[in-house]
Amino acid sequence: MSIRPKLAEAVNNQIQLEFQSAYLYLSMSAWFTQNNLPGCAHWMHLQWQEETQHALKLFKFLHDRGGNVVLQALAAPNEQYSTALDVFKSVQAHEELITSAINDLYEVAIQEKDLPLQVVLQWFINEQVEEESQVGEIVDQFTMIGSDGPSVYLLDRQLASRTATSGSSTN
Ligand code: OFO
């Protein structure tokens, strides 16, 4: 059954948010490179890839359901950060916003009795739990070490070991 226009519009809005997240994380990756934290830059670069895959997952879903993809404008990301902690706190706030958007979309899918959309969104709901937990841990670690240079260096090296997860697949 084709997706209803109201839901297609809501999914397009979520595609915009996922690309906006990707764009934000790419700008953060640049900030970290420019501030000599290559591990954090790598972490953000992978996050950019993951968010792009999220957008493409919904992009494919919309086409599979006979909906039209309508790409929307992206806003220029804020680049005024002073510390790594600052950046990761922004990620945390942003992900909480995205979680609310996904939850709202899920509620609309329930009201409209669109089961396939509910199923695809369940993947996103789990993903948000994982992302919020991961970033919360990094915020706690940067908070704990404060401005101690050697500890920041070690944490940056640890973040350099992040690898892409299979959860970022579009399938
Ligand atoms: Fe798309 O997972 Fe976060 O935003």
Side-chain angles (χ1 to χ4, degrees):
M1 194 198 300
S2 290
I3 193 165
R4 292 188 196 146
K6 174 185 174 179
L7 286 176
E9 191 184 332
V11 172
N12 272 308
N13 291 341
Q14 190 61 39
I15 290 173
Q16 192 274 348
L17 282 177
E18 300 294 337
F19 277 129
Q20 188 70 59
S21 303
Y23 207 35
L24 174 66
Y25 298 145
L26 188 60
S27 80
M28 289 172 169
S29 176
W31 187 91
F32 279 122
T33 297
Q34 287 146 204
N35 286 275
N36 305 314
L37 289 166
C40 292
H42 165 79
W43 194 97
M44 283 298 170
H45 202 268
L46 282 185
Q47 197 61 23
W48 162 65
Q49 284 177 3
E50 283 206 2
E51 296 300 348
T52 302
Q53 294 303 318
H54 296 172
L56 294 178
K57 190 187 264 286
L58 292 174
F59 184 102
K60 180 177 186 304
F61 173 79
L62 208 44
H63 278 158
D64 287 348
R65 296 287 311 284
N68 289 336
V69 168
V70 182
L71 294 180
Q72 300 169 25
L74 298 178
N78 165 38
E79 282 166 6
Q80 307 299 312
Y81 306 109
S82 48
T83 61
L85 175 61
D86 228 20
V87 181
F88 279 100
K89 275 186 171 172
S90 289
V91 175
Q92 192 171 38
H94 182 75
E95 286 304 328
E96 284 170 6
L97 210 122
I98 299 298
T99 297
S100 301
I102 293 282
N103 292 350
D104 290 350
L105 184 52
Y106 189 69
E107 276 179 28
V108 178
I110 290 172
Q111 283 159 18
E112 297 290 319
K113 300 186 169 53
D114 190 312
L115 298 182
L117 182 55
Q118 288 173 41
V119 171
V120 81
L121 288 176
Q122 279 163 11
W123 182 90
F124 281 86
I125 290 168
N126 283 329
E127 178 70 7
Q128 285 307 120
V129 170
E130 200 183 295
E131 285 192 352
E132 283 197 36
S133 157
Q134 269 178 1
V135 78
E137 207 173 288
I138 298 171
V139 165
D140 288 347
Q141 288 169 334
F142 272 113
T143 302
M144 209 184 317
I145 65 184
S147 57
D148 178 54
S151 302
V152 171
Y153 174 78
L154 287 176
L155 181 51
D156 183 68
R157 286 196 57 177
Q158 187 185 314
L159 293 175
S161 65
R162 179 181 180 185
T163 53
T165 61
S166 55
S168 60
S169 147
T170 50
N171 298 315

Coordinates of all heavy atoms in Angstrom, one line a residue, residues 6-77:
K6 N 0.5 12.8 3.7 CA 0.8 13.4 5.0 C 2.0 12.7 5.6 O 2.9 13.4 6.2 CB -0.4 13.2 5.9 CG -0.2 13.7 7.4 CD -1.4 13.4 8.2 CE -1.1 13.7 9.7 NZ -2.3 13.5 10.5
L7 N 2.1 11.4 5.5 CA 3.2 10.7 6.1 C 4.5 10.8 5.3 O 5.6 10.9 5.8 CB 2.9 9.2 6.3 CG 1.9 8.8 7.4 CD1 1.6 7.4 7.4 CD2 2.5 9.2 8.7
A8 N 4.3 10.9 3.9 CA 5.4 11.1 3.0 C 6.1 12.4 3.4 O 7.3 12.5 3.5 CB 5.0 11.1 1.6
E9 N 5.3 13.4 3.7 CA 5.8 14.8 4.0 C 6.6 14.7 5.4 O 7.7 15.2 5.5 CB 4.7 15.8 4.2 CG 5.1 17.2 4.3 CD 4.0 18.2 4.5 OE1 2.8 17.9 4.1 OE2 4.2 19.2 5.1
A10 N 6.0 13.9 6.3 CA 6.7 13.8 7.6 C 8.0 13.0 7.4 O 9.0 13.3 8.1 CB 5.8 13.1 8.6
V11 N 8.1 12.0 6.6 CA 9.3 11.3 6.4 C 10.3 12.2 5.7 O 11.5 12.2 6.0 CB 9.0 10.0 5.6 CG1 10.4 9.3 5.2 CG2 8.2 9.0 6.4
N12 N 9.9 13.0 4.7 CA 10.8 13.9 4.1 C 11.4 14.9 5.1 O 12.6 15.2 5.0 CB 10.1 14.7 3.0 CG 10.1 14.0 1.6 OD1 11.2 13.6 1.2 ND2 8.9 13.8 1.0
N13 N 10.6 15.3 6.1 CA 11.1 16.2 7.1 C 12.2 15.5 7.9 O 13.2 16.1 8.3 CB 10.0 16.6 8.1 CG 9.0 17.6 7.4 OD1 9.4 18.2 6.4 ND2 7.9 17.8 8.0
Q14 N 12.0 14.2 8.2 CA 13.0 13.4 8.9 C 14.2 13.2 8.1 O 15.4 13.2 8.6 CB 12.4 12.1 9.4 CG 13.3 11.3 10.4 CD 13.5 12.1 11.7 OE1 12.6 12.7 12.2 NE2 14.7 12.1 12.2
I15 N 14.1 13.0 6.8 CA 15.3 12.9 5.9 C 16.1 14.2 6.0 O 17.3 14.2 6.1 CB 14.8 12.6 4.4 CG1 14.2 11.2 4.3 CG2 16.0 12.8 3.5 CD1 13.6 10.9 2.9
Q16 N 15.4 15.3 6.0 CA 16.1 16.6 6.1 C 16.9 16.6 7.5 O 18.1 17.0 7.5 CB 15.1 17.8 6.1 CG 15.8 19.1 5.9 CD 16.2 19.8 7.2 OE1 15.8 19.3 8.3 NE2 17.0 20.8 7.2
L17 N 16.3 16.2 8.5 CA 16.9 16.2 9.9 C 18.2 15.3 9.9 O 19.2 15.6 10.5 CB 15.9 15.8 11.0 CG 14.9 16.8 11.4 CD1 14.0 16.2 12.5 CD2 15.7 18.0 12.1
E18 N 18.0 14.1 9.2 CA 19.2 13.2 9.2 C 20.3 13.8 8.4 O 21.5 13.7 8.8 CB 18.8 11.8 8.6 CG 17.7 11.1 9.4 CD 18.1 10.7 10.8 OE1 19.3 10.5 11.1 OE2 17.1 10.5 11.6
F19 N 20.0 14.4 7.2 CA 21.1 15.1 6.5 C 21.7 16.3 7.3 O 22.9 16.6 7.2 CB 20.6 15.5 5.1 CG 20.6 14.4 4.1 CD1 19.5 14.2 3.3 CD2 21.8 13.7 3.8 CE1 19.5 13.2 2.3 CE2 21.8 12.7 2.8 CZ 20.7 12.4 2.1
Q20 N 20.8 17.0 8.0 CA 21.2 18.1 8.8 C 22.2 17.6 9.9 O 23.2 18.3 10.2 CB 20.0 18.8 9.4 CG 20.4 20.1 10.1 CD 20.8 21.2 9.1 OE1 20.0 21.6 8.2 NE2 22.0 21.7 9.3
S21 N 21.9 16.5 10.5 CA 22.8 15.9 11.5 C 24.1 15.5 10.9 O 25.2 15.8 11.4 CB 22.2 14.6 12.1 OG 20.9 14.8 12.6
A22 N 24.1 14.9 9.7 CA 25.3 14.6 9.0 C 26.2 15.8 8.8 O 27.4 15.8 9.0 CB 25.0 13.9 7.7
Y23 N 25.5 16.9 8.3 CA 26.2 18.1 8.0 C 26.8 18.7 9.2 O 28.0 19.2 9.2 CB 25.2 19.1 7.4 CG 25.7 20.1 6.4 CD1 26.7 19.9 5.6 CD2 25.1 21.4 6.4 CE1 27.2 20.9 4.7 CE2 25.5 22.4 5.5 CZ 26.6 22.1 4.7 OH 27.0 23.1 3.8
L24 N 26.1 18.7 10.3 CA 26.6 19.2 11.6 C 27.8 18.4 12.0 O 28.8 19.0 12.4 CB 25.5 19.0 12.7 CG 25.8 19.4 14.1 CD1 26.2 20.9 14.2 CD2 24.7 19.0 15.0
Y25 N 27.8 17.1 11.9 CA 28.9 16.2 12.4 C 30.1 16.4 11.5 O 31.3 16.3 11.9 CB 28.5 14.8 12.5 CG 27.4 14.6 13.6 CD1 26.4 13.7 13.5 CD2 27.4 15.5 14.7 CE1 25.4 13.6 14.5 CE2 26.4 15.4 15.7 CZ 25.4 14.5 15.5 OH 24.4 14.4 16.5
L26 N 29.9 16.6 10.2 CA 31.0 16.9 9.3 C 31.7 18.2 9.7 O 32.9 18.3 9.7 CB 30.5 17.0 7.8 CG 31.6 17.0 6.8 CD1 32.5 15.8 6.8 CD2 31.0 17.1 5.4
S27 N 30.9 19.2 10.0 CA 31.5 20.5 10.5 C 32.3 20.3 11.8 O 33.3 20.9 12.0 CB 30.5 21.6 10.6 OG 29.8 21.5 11.8
M28 N 31.8 19.4 12.7 CA 32.5 19.2 13.9 C 33.8 18.4 13.6 O 34.8 18.6 14.3 CB 31.6 18.4 14.9 CG 30.4 19.2 15.4 SD 29.3 18.2 16.4 CE 28.3 19.5 17.2
S29 N 33.7 17.5 12.7 CA 34.9 16.8 12.3 C 36.0 17.8 11.8 O 37.2 17.7 12.2 CB 34.6 15.8 11.2 OG 35.8 15.1 10.8
A30 N 35.6 18.7 11.0 CA 36.5 19.8 10.6 C 37.1 20.5 11.8 O 38.3 20.8 11.9 CB 35.9 20.7 9.6
W31 N 36.2 20.9 12.7 CA 36.6 21.7 13.9 C 37.7 20.9 14.7 O 38.7 21.4 15.1 CB 35.4 22.0 14.8 CG 35.8 22.9 15.9 CD1 35.7 24.2 15.9 CD2 36.3 22.5 17.2 NE1 36.1 24.7 17.2 CE2 36.5 23.7 18.0 CE3 36.6 21.3 17.8 CZ2 37.0 23.7 19.3 CZ3 37.1 21.3 19.2 CH2 37.2 22.5 19.9
F32 N 37.5 19.6 14.8 CA 38.4 18.8 15.6 C 39.8 18.7 14.8 O 40.9 18.7 15.5 CB 37.9 17.4 15.9 CG 36.9 17.3 17.0 CD1 35.7 16.9 16.9 CD2 37.4 17.7 18.3 CE1 34.8 16.8 18.0 CE2 36.5 17.7 19.4 CZ 35.2 17.3 19.3
T33 N 39.7 18.5 13.5 CA 41.0 18.5 12.8 C 41.7 19.8 13.0 O 43.0 19.8 13.2 CB 40.7 18.2 11.3 OG1 40.1 17.0 11.1 CG2 42.0 18.3 10.4
Q34 N 41.0 20.9 12.9 CA 41.6 22.2 13.0 C 42.2 22.5 14.4 O 43.0 23.3 14.6 CB 40.7 23.3 12.6 CG 40.5 23.3 11.0 CD 39.1 23.7 10.6 OE1 38.6 23.3 9.5 NE2 38.3 24.4 11.4
N35 N 41.6 21.7 15.4 CA 42.1 21.9 16.8 C 42.9 20.7 17.3 O 43.0 20.5 18.5 CB 40.8 22.1 17.7 CG 40.3 23.5 17.4 OD1 40.7 24.5 18.1 ND2 39.3 23.7 16.5
N36 N 43.5 20.0 16.3 CA 44.5 19.0 16.7 C 44.0 17.8 17.5 O 44.7 17.3 18.4 CB 45.8 19.6 17.3 CG 46.3 20.7 16.5 OD1 46.5 20.5 15.2 ND2 46.6 21.9 17.0
L37 N 42.8 17.4 17.3 CA 42.2 16.2 17.9 C 41.8 15.3 16.8 O 40.6 15.1 16.6 CB 41.1 16.6 18.9 CG 41.5 17.4 20.1 CD1 40.3 18.1 20.8 CD2 42.3 16.5 21.1
P38 N 42.7 14.5 16.2 CA 42.4 13.7 15.1 C 41.5 12.5 15.4 O 40.7 12.1 14.6 CB 43.7 13.2 14.6 CG 44.7 13.4 15.7 CD 44.2 14.6 16.5
G39 N 41.5 12.0 16.7 CA 40.7 10.9 17.1 C 39.2 11.4 17.1 O 38.3 10.7 16.6
C40 N 39.0 12.5 17.7 CA 37.6 13.1 17.7 C 37.1 13.4 16.3 O 36.0 13.2 16.0 CB 37.6 14.4 18.5 SG 37.9 14.1 20.3
A41 N 38.1 13.9 15.4 CA 37.7 14.2 14.1 C 37.3 12.9 13.3 O 36.3 12.9 12.6 CB 38.9 14.8 13.3
H42 N 38.0 11.8 13.6 CA 37.6 10.5 13.0 C 36.3 10.1 13.5 O 35.4 9.6 12.7 CB 38.7 9.5 13.4 CG 38.3 8.1 13.1 ND1 38.4 7.5 11.9 CD2 37.9 7.1 14.0 CE1 37.9 6.3 12.0 NE2 37.6 6.0 13.2
W43 N 36.0 10.2 14.8 CA 34.7 9.8 15.4 C 33.6 10.5 14.7 O 32.6 10.0 14.3 CB 34.8 10.1 16.9 CG 33.7 9.4 17.7 CD1 33.8 8.3 18.4 CD2 32.3 9.9 17.9 NE1 32.6 8.0 19.0 CE2 31.7 9.0 18.7 CE3 31.6 11.0 17.4 CZ2 30.4 9.1 19.1 CZ3 30.3 11.1 17.8 CH2 29.7 10.2 18.6
M44 N 33.8 11.8 14.6 CA 32.7 12.7 13.9 C 32.6 12.3 12.5 O 31.5 12.4 11.9 CB 33.1 14.2 14.1 CG 32.8 14.7 15.4 SD 31.1 14.6 15.9 CE 31.3 15.1 17.6
H45 N 33.7 12.0 11.8 CA 33.6 11.6 10.4 C 32.7 10.4 10.2 O 31.9 10.3 9.3 CB 35.0 11.4 9.8 CG 35.1 11.6 8.3 ND1 34.9 10.6 7.5 CD2 35.2 12.7 7.6 CE1 35.0 11.0 6.2 NE2 35.2 12.3 6.3
L46 N 32.9 9.4 11.1 CA 32.1 8.2 11.1 C 30.6 8.5 11.4 O 29.7 8.0 10.8 CB 32.6 7.1 12.1 CG 33.9 6.4 11.6 CD1 34.2 5.3 12.7 CD2 33.7 5.7 10.3
Q47 N 30.5 9.5 12.3 CA 29.1 9.9 12.6 C 28.4 10.5 11.4 O 27.2 10.3 11.2 CB 29.1 10.8 13.8 CG 27.8 11.0 14.6 CD 27.3 9.7 15.1 OE1 28.0 8.8 15.4 NE2 26.0 9.6 15.3
W48 N 29.2 11.3 10.7 CA 28.6 11.9 9.4 C 28.2 10.8 8.5 O 27.1 10.9 7.9 CB 29.7 12.7 8.8 CG 29.5 13.1 7.3 CD1 28.5 13.8 6.8 CD2 30.3 12.6 6.2 NE1 28.6 13.9 5.4 CE2 29.7 13.1 5.0 CE3 31.4 11.8 6.1 CZ2 30.2 12.9 3.8 CZ3 31.9 11.6 4.8 CH2 31.3 12.1 3.7
Q49 N 29.0 9.8 8.4 CA 28.7 8.6 7.5 C 27.4 8.0 7.9 O 26.5 7.6 7.2 CB 29.8 7.6 7.4 CG 31.0 8.0 6.6 CD 32.1 7.0 6.6 OE1 32.0 5.9 7.2 NE2 33.2 7.3 6.0
E50 N 27.3 7.7 9.3 CA 26.1 7.0 9.8 C 24.9 7.8 9.6 O 23.8 7.3 9.2 CB 26.3 6.8 11.3 CG 27.2 5.7 11.6 CD 26.9 5.0 13.0 OE1 26.0 5.4 13.7 OE2 27.7 4.1 13.3
E51 N 24.9 9.1 9.8 CA 23.7 10.0 9.6 C 23.3 10.0 8.2 O 22.1 10.0 7.8 CB 23.9 11.4 10.2 CG 24.2 11.4 11.7 CD 23.0 10.9 12.5 OE1 21.9 10.7 12.0 OE2 23.3 10.7 13.7
T52 N 24.3 10.0 7.3 CA 24.0 10.0 5.8 C 23.3 8.7 5.5 O 22.3 8.7 4.8 CB 25.3 10.1 5.0 OG1 25.9 11.3 5.4 CG2 25.0 10.2 3.5
Q53 N 23.7 7.6 6.1 CA 23.1 6.3 5.9 C 21.6 6.3 6.4 O 20.7 5.7 5.8 CB 23.9 5.1 6.5 CG 25.2 4.9 5.9 CD 25.2 4.6 4.4 OE1 24.3 3.9 3.9 NE2 26.1 5.2 3.7
H54 N 21.4 7.0 7.5 CA 20.1 7.0 8.1 C 19.2 7.8 7.1 O 18.0 7.3 6.9 CB 20.1 7.8 9.4 CG 20.9 7.1 10.5 ND1 21.1 7.7 11.7 CD2 21.5 5.9 10.5 CE1 21.8 6.9 12.5 NE2 22.1 5.8 11.8
A55 N 19.6 8.9 6.6 CA 18.8 9.6 5.6 C 18.5 8.7 4.4 O 17.4 8.7 3.9 CB 19.6 10.9 5.2
L56 N 19.5 8.0 4.0 CA 19.3 7.1 2.8 C 18.4 6.0 3.1 O 17.7 5.5 2.2 CB 20.7 6.6 2.2 CG 21.6 7.8 1.7 CD1 22.9 7.2 1.2 CD2 20.9 8.5 0.5
K57 N 18.4 5.5 4.3 CA 17.5 4.4 4.7 C 16.0 4.9 4.5 O 15.2 4.2 3.9 CB 17.7 4.1 6.1 CG 17.0 2.8 6.6 CD 17.2 2.6 8.1 CE 18.4 1.7 8.5 NZ 18.2 0.3 8.3
L58 N 15.7 6.1 4.9 CA 14.4 6.7 4.8 C 14.1 7.1 3.3 O 12.9 6.9 2.9 CB 14.2 7.9 5.7 CG 14.2 7.6 7.2 CD1 14.2 8.9 8.0 CD2 13.0 6.7 7.6
F59 N 15.1 7.5 2.6 CA 15.0 7.8 1.2 C 14.5 6.6 0.4 O 13.6 6.7 -0.4 CB 16.4 8.3 0.8 CG 16.6 8.8 -0.6 CD1 16.7 10.1 -0.9 CD2 16.8 7.9 -1.7 CE1 17.0 10.6 -2.2 CE2 17.0 8.3 -3.0 CZ 17.1 9.7 -3.2
K60 N 15.2 5.5 0.7 CA 14.8 4.2 0.0 C 13.4 3.8 0.4 O 12.6 3.3 -0.4 CB 15.9 3.1 0.4 CG 15.6 1.8 -0.3 CD 16.7 0.8 0.0 CE 16.5 -0.5 -0.7 NZ 15.2 -1.2 -0.5
F61 N 13.1 3.9 1.7 CA 11.8 3.5 2.3 C 10.7 4.3 1.5 O 9.7 3.7 1.1 CB 11.8 3.7 3.8 CG 10.4 3.5 4.4 CD1 10.0 2.2 4.6 CD2 9.5 4.5 4.6 CE1 8.7 2.0 5.2 CE2 8.3 4.3 5.2 CZ 7.9 3.0 5.4
L62 N 10.9 5.6 1.4 CA 9.9 6.4 0.8 C 9.6 5.9 -0.7 O 8.5 5.8 -1.1 CB 10.3 7.9 0.8 CG 9.3 8.9 0.9 CD1 8.1 8.6 1.8 CD2 9.9 10.3 1.2
H63 N 10.7 5.7 -1.4 CA 10.6 5.2 -2.8 C 9.9 3.8 -2.8 O 9.0 3.6 -3.6 CB 11.9 5.1 -3.5 CG 12.4 6.5 -4.0 ND1 13.7 6.8 -4.3 CD2 11.7 7.6 -4.3 CE1 13.8 8.0 -4.7 NE2 12.6 8.5 -4.7
D64 N 10.3 2.9 -1.9 CA 9.7 1.6 -1.9 C 8.2 1.7 -1.6 O 7.4 0.8 -2.0 CB 10.3 0.8 -0.7 CG 11.7 0.3 -1.1 OD1 12.1 0.4 -2.2 OD2 12.4 -0.2 -0.1
R65 N 7.8 2.7 -0.9 CA 6.3 2.9 -0.6 C 5.6 3.8 -1.6 O 4.5 4.2 -1.3 CB 6.2 3.5 0.8 CG 6.7 2.6 1.9 CD 5.9 1.4 2.3 NE 4.5 1.8 2.4 CZ 3.9 2.3 3.5 NH1 4.7 2.7 4.5 NH2 2.6 2.6 3.5
G66 N 6.2 4.1 -2.7 CA 5.6 4.9 -3.7 C 5.5 6.4 -3.4 O 4.7 7.1 -4.0
G67 N 6.3 6.9 -2.4 CA 6.3 8.3 -2.1 C 7.3 9.1 -2.9 O 8.2 8.5 -3.4
N68 N 7.1 10.4 -2.9 CA 8.1 11.2 -3.5 C 9.1 11.8 -2.5 O 8.7 12.3 -1.5 CB 7.5 12.4 -4.2 CG 6.7 12.0 -5.4 OD1 6.9 11.0 -6.0 ND2 5.7 12.8 -5.8
V69 N 10.4 11.6 -2.9 CA 11.4 12.3 -2.0 C 11.5 13.7 -2.4 O 11.7 14.0 -3.6 CB 12.8 11.6 -2.2 CG1 13.9 12.4 -1.6 CG2 12.7 10.1 -1.6
V70 N 11.4 14.6 -1.4 CA 11.6 16.1 -1.7 C 12.7 16.6 -0.8 O 12.5 16.7 0.4 CB 10.3 16.8 -1.4 CG1 10.4 18.3 -1.7 CG2 9.1 16.2 -2.2
L71 N 13.9 16.7 -1.3 CA 15.0 17.2 -0.5 C 14.8 18.6 -0.1 O 14.4 19.5 -0.9 CB 16.3 17.0 -1.2 CG 16.7 15.5 -1.5 CD1 18.0 15.4 -2.2 CD2 16.7 14.7 -0.2
Q72 N 15.2 18.9 1.1 CA 15.0 20.3 1.7 C 16.4 20.9 1.9 O 17.4 20.3 2.0 CB 14.2 20.2 3.0 CG 12.8 19.6 2.8 CD 12.1 19.3 4.1 OE1 12.4 20.0 5.1 NE2 11.2 18.4 4.0
A73 N 16.4 22.3 2.1 CA 17.6 23.0 2.3 C 18.2 22.6 3.7 O 17.5 22.3 4.6 CB 17.3 24.5 2.3
L74 N 19.6 22.7 3.7 CA 20.3 22.5 5.0 C 20.8 23.8 5.5 O 21.2 24.7 4.7 CB 21.5 21.6 4.8 CG 21.2 20.2 4.2 CD1 22.4 19.4 4.0 CD2 20.3 19.4 5.2
A75 N 20.8 24.0 6.8 CA 21.3 25.2 7.5 C 22.8 25.1 7.7 O 23.3 24.0 7.9 CB 20.6 25.5 8.8
A76 N 23.5 26.2 7.7 CA 24.9 26.2 8.0 C 25.1 25.8 9.5 O 24.4 26.4 10.3 CB 25.5 27.5 7.7
P77 N 25.9 24.9 9.8 CA 26.1 24.5 11.2 C 26.9 25.6 12.0 O 27.7 26.3 11.4 CB 27.0 23.2 11.2 CG 27.1 22.8 9.7 CD 26.8 24.0 8.9

